[in-house]
Amino acid sequence: MTSDDLLARHRAVLPSWMPLYYAEPIELVSGEGRRVTDAQGRTYLDFFGGVLTNMIGYDIAEIREAVQRQLATGIVHTSTLYLIRQQVELAEKVARLSGIPDARVFFTNSGTEANEAALLVATNYRRSHQILAVRNSYHGRSYAAMGITGHRSWSASALNPLQVAWLHSGERLRGLLARLGADEQVDAAVEDLREVLATQTAGDVACLIAEPIQGVGGFVHAPDGLFAAWKKVLDESGILFISDEVQTGWGRTGEHFWGYQAHGVTPDLLTFAKGIGNGFALAGVVGRADVLESVPAISFSTFGGNPISTAAGNAVLDYLLDHDLQANAARTGAILADGLRAAVGGLDCVAEVRGKGLMLGVEFVRPGTAEPDPALAARVFEACKAGGLLVGKGGLYGNVLRMGPPLTLTEEEAREGLAILVEAIRSAAAEAMPA
Ligand SMILES: Cc1ncc(COP(=O)(O)O)c(C=O)c1O
């Protein structure tokens, strides 16, 4: 069967609001390490990992064998009505690593459900459905998760079970806080929080939820320390703080294991998904016991933390820690970030090279302005593919190239990908120049 047949069949049977990447979409049929091969036999270096989800890479023996061992027992699913050894073991590890004292863990199948669970316990604990969320955020696709998503392209419905007030993001190119120095931006964001609390809420707010680096939002992040400055204000009235670590967790930022640690603060609740299963559906929320116990009814997830996904999760976490992939993210991320800044950071069409560790974005604008240039981003994106590199796209205006490779990326692969990126950006930028 050709990819074209599959594309026609896809379009005939799947909804159009679930987009495909590329003018000529590809089907990935095999993978190994950081490389994937499409149905035409073309191999790519993968700097997006199925949206930061293939965190360890493809066909990793330790993970494959852990899942095969579980399959060989004959037990794929039991439900959480029975003890699941792999689940308890993973919960112990996640609780210990979370940095939250006396933590409890609830497993789900997706980041959306993880955030739903966090919102459930936060709103129950505080007896309030008022939430503070951040502009340019993405938290998932349920009504509540969409309701705290501050991104027009991903807001598919206005129906919202929550009452939400919005804080400014760490956006540095546009908006009211743009172009402030880091300290000034933190002060302004705290002032904004106080004003929002005073003018848009009834005071008894349940929680503030924030991504340390906004994933879908194009890897925008606030200056280090903002979360702690916010939390000081939140603590005055007992408002909980939730860190959505779906993209930033497990050492991806290089400098820390969790994104929140850059801010010198410990969240009350932390949500995780994507990378922890390395492709198996695994997510959850970890948080303070008193908050997580705020469920006055039975609540369970049929597939959440099932034996297969938690077998994978344990193997992923052991691999990650045994190989110190956080340090590798710092090392290989620096090669990419420094290389990009040196080679293309000065181009008129590149507004910013930003991010941390192996979570890096390049934002494209019309030369000399802050006007987004999604067409240029799209050309670079296609040029990367033509050069043999898969990357992601994002940002409020679709003008940000996103790189989130597996954390096992080697220095050689970082340099190889960097060369493709630089060539793609330079050639697309040159084409865009007026003759
Ligand atoms: C920060 C963040 N939170 C939550 C989600 C939702 O996760 P899922 O797609 O697994 O429901 C995503 C997905 O991209 C995300 O990036």
Side-chain angles (χ1 to χ4, degrees):
M1 189 209 309
T2 67
S3 276
D4 282 346
D5 293 331
L6 191 61
L7 179 59
R9 288 167 57 199
H10 176 107
R11 290 200 167 129
V13 75
L14 294 164
S16 59
W17 41 261
M18 200 176 73
L20 285 164
Y21 264 172
Y22 301 118
E24 290 179 23
I26 51 176
E27 178 194 9
L28 302 178
V29 294
S30 64
E32 193 183 350
R34 274 68 51 199
R35 291 179 205 273
V36 288
T37 301
D38 72 12
Q40 315 300 324
R42 206 156 174 236
T43 294
Y44 305 87
L45 185 58
D46 187 359
F47 270 20
F48 206 40
V51 196
L52 286 71
T53 299
N54 295 306
M55 180 169 72
I56 310 294
Y58 297 88
D59 197 25
I60 304 299
E62 287 86 340
I63 302 168
R64 177 171 21 85
E65 286 160 12
V67 170
Q68 282 169 341
R69 274 196 301 278
Q70 184 58 41
L71 275 173
T73 66
I75 300 280
V76 171
H77 171 78
T78 65
S79 88
T80 50
L81 298 172
Y82 306 96
L83 288 165
I84 301 174
R85 183 168 300 274
Q86 311 273 23
Q87 186 183 83
V88 174
E89 280 174 9
L90 184 59
E92 288 168 347
K93 290 176 197 167
V94 171
R96 181 172 52 78
L97 288 165
S98 72
I100 300 171
D102 190 29
R104 299 289 182 277
V105 184
F106 176 68
F107 289 108
T108 64
N109 309 291
S110 67
T112 298
E113 292 167 82
N115 283 329
E116 278 282 334
L119 291 166
L120 170 73
V121 297
T123 52
N124 275 355
Y125 183 82
R126 293 279 296 157
R127 309 305 307 158
S128 163
H129 76 309
Q130 297 174 78
I131 312 288
L132 297 167
V134 181
R135 299 173 193 198
N136 194 42
S137 59
Y138 179 73
H139 296 290
R141 58 172 304 281
S142 62
Y143 285 116
M146 265 188 300
I148 52 167
T149 284
H151 197 300
R152 174 62 195 90
S153 305
W154 295 78
S155 300
S157 170
L159 297 177
N160 189 351
L162 305 166
Q163 188 178 315
V164 184
W166 297 96
L167 302 177
H168 284 283
S169 74
E171 175 63 78
R172 299 287 257 265
L173 300 174
R174 305 170 193 90
L176 292 181
L177 308 191
R179 296 194 183 81
L180 293 178
D183 290 347
E184 288 170 303
Q185 194 177 1
V186 169
D187 291 347
V190 168
E191 217 174 291
D192 174 49
L193 169 60
R194 285 197 185 280
E195 190 178 290
V196 166
L197 281 171
T199 58
Q200 298 177 44
T201 76
D204 54 339
V205 169
C207 62
L208 187 164
I209 182 164
E211 299 157 88
I213 299 178
Q214 296 183 314
V216 165
F219 295 176
V220 163
H221 59 92
D224 290 354
L226 174 63
F227 288 2
W230 270 344
K231 191 149 193 318
K232 244 192 215 168
V233 178
L234 303 180
D235 285 347
E236 290 168 13
S237 35
I239 300 169
L240 302 173
F241 178 64
I242 305 174
S243 190
D244 180 336
E245 301 271 356
V246 166
Q247 296 212 11
T248 42
W250 320 108
R252 177 167 290 282
T253 66
E255 56 180 30
H256 296 104
F257 195 74
W258 302 109
Y260 78 72
Q261 290 168 312
H263 295 269
V265 70
T266 304
D268 300 294
L269 296 160
L270 176 165
T271 56
F272 57 87
K274 291 200 188 286
I276 184 60
N278 203 48
F280 288 90
L282 179 63
V285 53
V286 49
R288 272 170 47 189
D290 57 337
V291 180
L292 221 82
E293 294 291 359
S294 302
V295 180
I298 293 172
S299 189
F300 95 155
S301 165
T302 296
F303 294 121
N306 69 70
I308 294 290
S309 64
T310 46
N314 276 301
V316 166
L317 208 41
D318 292 348
Y319 191 101
L320 185 100
L321 297 172
D322 290 349
H323 293 81
D324 196 2
L325 295 188
Q326 180 185 322
N328 191 56
R331 203 166 37 242
T332 51
I335 293 173
L336 280 171
D338 294 348
L340 280 168
R341 286 196 178 107
V344 298
L347 295 179
D348 280 354
C349 60
V350 173
E352 208 171 30
V353 176
R354 60 174 174 254
K356 293 181 176 183
L358 286 178
M359 199 170 173
L360 295 169
V362 181
E363 173 146 3
F364 295 96
V365 288
R366 295 202 196 286
T369 74
E371 199 185 325
D373 194 343
L376 177 57
R379 279 201 301 281
V380 175
F381 182 68
E382 292 283 351
C384 284
K385 178 189 166 216
L389 180 74
L390 301 185
V391 294
K393 244 190 327 165
L396 198 53
Y397 309 100
N399 64 327
V400 181
L401 217 60
R402 291 194 293 158
M403 277 69 70
L407 305 187
T408 47
L409 189 75
T410 66
E411 294 186 19
E412 208 172 37
E413 288 164 342
R415 288 195 192 91
E416 179 187 336
L418 173 65
I420 300 171
L421 270 166
V422 167
E423 171 56 27
I425 294 170
R426 281 190 179 148
S427 58
E431 260 175 54
M433 288 283 283

